[in-house]
Amino acid sequence: MNCRAISLFLFLIFSISSLNAQSVQDDFEGNGNINTWYGDDCLLNTNADNIYSGGINTSEKVLKYEDIGGQFANVAFDVNENLILTENHVFTFKIYVPSSGISGNQKNQVSLKLQDGTLEQPWSTQSEIIKSIELDQWQELNFDFLNDDYINLDASSPPPTQRFDFNRVLFQVNGENNNDPVIAYIDDVFYDGTNSPDEEFDQLVWSDEFDQNGAIDPQKWHHQSIIPNGDSWFNGEIQHYTDRTDNAQVNDGILSIVAKKENYTDQGVTKQYTSARLNSKFAFTYGKIEVRAKMPEGNGTWPAIWMLGKNITENGAYWETQGFGTTSWPACGEIDILEHWGQNPNYVQSAIHTPSSFGATVNHGGQFIPTAISDFHTYTLKWYPEKLVFSVDGVIHYIYQPEEYNEDTWPFTKDQYLLLNFAVLPNIESNFTEDTLEIDYVRVYQTSTSSNESPENLSSFKLNNSPNPAHLQTNIQYHLDSDAYVTINVRDKNGRLINTLVNKNQKAGKHQLIWDLSHLKPGVYFYTLKANQHTTTKKCVVY
């Protein structure tokens, strides 16, 4: 259903350990966390003067949306992930539509629609609430997906509070499928949301701040310099990687990986360029990786910040030299946090290589950063048990979350290590002499002990399951502070009830049960524990 809409895309962040309430808001005066508004087929100004100041809204700045006749005009905002509406299910905002700003005979109304934005036809999942509006006055509207009348486009869909696939919110003024111009002003967008569960990576477990001048720290990094096939590196790269400080050194808190034009002979092979490729001596599973870096420039330059499976069989790789090499590429899995090609300056890309798609992989996404080659930016990967989320300075540009989880699509259940390198490609400019990939820091965060409590220390109505991801079965554990009537229901990502695991009175104390997964298709499932009047929802990935 194509919508002539004012649209706001809210993708809220998962937390696997417990439900997190996180406000999503924007008052267009610098107080809020919505910072990626964009317009489609319309004019958009997120710093517009409030020319209708008065009544309930005397703020100075608002969002101005001007549909000048575009059939599918909308304004949009992207964040991260899926909403859980079981506890928090109310969206609010203020709106002003001047009578001088409309034409045609459309209804004076605004609707708020929830959709699954990951689908090719997101409107097929839509649930909608419609509210009437008054012209020529500010009004605040509440959209309550538990108590208001809602319309499911698919009548067979469960109620919105029983679904976990919503990650898009659209505001639509005066109906859809028309070309009538509208001017509208929006302010104070707010949702005090409950997010579907994900890990909170809050403990720094490994880092290099590059605060000691000279060579790289040998306790943290390995120079990978052995040519893997005896003659050249992969992807047509034409450099030698060396272990010299000429190519990798630390000064004034910055790691410089330098590519140079110079004749250099090593391992019986002479090349015209040198650079450096570093392997971390730290490997891990799941967490948040932050790297603050500045890119080199020029055709033929190719810096990368990336990860490989610790189990890779690659001649000269650090973990191969330690006896861990058992799996070839791409079965080991590759996660490219950042790649930057000099022929496309300031465009940064993230990509995934697995047996299901590798080389010219279809699994990639990126964004244009106007100052990537002139300034430092923070490049981040959040690695969860069921997805990979890539961002720059907090703005997400790609999420990898396959439809099915198996060895071909998701080899990311084992330790990976970090790589920092600056490759040189055959199209390097003839006048190139040298350039530098600069890195301010590398940091790895995982879940702290306090956010990953043992089952014995869990408070009432918290629960977990292990293993997760799981294959044939997993063990659900929870603790009750008092006697309670307990139900545990399992639903798929569309909110359909799959199974009821518990439905009975239980005594206070520790409880556990084996959840048989053998009949479930690979995918993401949510299980909800209700004990008396309290509810907790968790997620399990089945592969």
Side-chain angles (χ1 to χ4, degrees), residues 18 40 137 157 194 253 259 264 298 325 340 378 385 415 447 460 465 505 526:
S18 64
D40 182 18
Q137 68 180 51
S157 297
T194 302
Y264 188 83
H340 179 270
T378 302
D415 282 356
T447 305
S460 294
N465 70 286
N505 285 304
F526 296 87

Side-chain angles (χ1 to χ4, degrees), residues 14 16 81-82 118 197-198 286 352 354-356 382-389 399-413 468-472 493 517 520-526 539-543:
F14 274 118
I16 237 168
E81 290 282 342
N82 295 29
T118 66
D198 265 344
Y286 311 135
I352 304 300
T354 69
S356 63
K382 291 184 179 181
W383 175 13
Y384 300 105
E386 82 296 338
K387 66 178 176 179
L388 301 163
V389 180
I399 299 175
Y400 177 68
Q401 190 170 15
E403 289 294 324
E404 295 188 5
Y405 292 81
N406 53 51
E407 292 182 354
D408 286 343
T409 64
W410 191 258
F412 307 116
T413 60
N468 189 8
H471 184 40
L472 296 177
K493 70 174 186 177
L517 308 173
L520 296 179
K521 295 179 179 180
V524 178
Y525 295 87
F526 296 87
K539 176 171 56 182
C540 180
V541 178
V542 178
Y543 65 92

Side-chain angles (χ1 to χ4, degrees), residues 146-167:
L146 176 65
N147 298 303
D148 287 345
D149 292 333
Y150 60 85
I151 303 169
N152 283 343
L153 185 63
D154 179 355
S156 65
S157 297
T161 55
Q162 296 180 16
R163 293 174 58 179
F164 306 102
D165 61 325
F166 292 133
N167 49 37

